[in-house]
Amino acid sequence: MNKNLLNDHQIITELIGNAAQLPAEYPRAARWATEALALASAAELPLLIEEAEGVLGRIEHDTTCRWCAGQPGAAIPVGSFWCIH
C-alpha cells in the first residue's frame, strides 16, 4: 500500500507490528518501536502509545535478561516455563 495513503493510525500500527515480529537483537526492531511511540505520542493515541511501550519493553527485556538473551551459563529457572525476571 502506498505510504501516502495511510493514516496516522495505520502507519503507527504497521511500525508496531513490524517491530514486534523482529527478534529483539535486530536494530530495526527498536528503531521502529521508538518511531511508533513518538508518532503515537504526537498524535495523542494512548492505546498505540501503550502498545509501542510494550514492544519496547519486550525488546529491552529480551536483550538484557540473562535468561532470554542467551548468555552462556544462563538457564531458565527450574520449574518455570516463563522468564520471571
Side-chain angles (χ1 to χ4, degrees):
M1 180 176 271
N2 185 340
K3 294 284 187 188
N4 295 329
L5 300 177
L6 296 176
N7 65 35
D8 292 343
H9 187 274
Q10 290 169 315
I11 292 168
I12 297 164
T13 302
E14 183 176 346
L15 287 166
I16 292 170
N18 289 339
Q21 296 301 314
L22 288 175
E25 64 271 6
Y26 281 47
R28 282 190 212 151
R31 191 173 1 176
W32 286 341
T34 301
E35 183 177 348
L37 179 57
L39 291 172
S41 297
E44 298 179 356
L45 298 169
L47 290 176
L48 293 180
I49 291 169
E50 185 177 334
E51 289 293 324
E53 288 174 339
V55 171
L56 280 169
R58 190 262 316 161
I59 291 168
E60 180 182 352
H61 172 267
D62 288 356
T63 55
T64 59
C65 177
R66 284 185 18 189
W67 287 270
C68 296
Q71 293 184 13
I76 294 176
V78 175
S80 174
F81 291 104
W82 306 104
C83 180
I84 55 172
H85 299 84

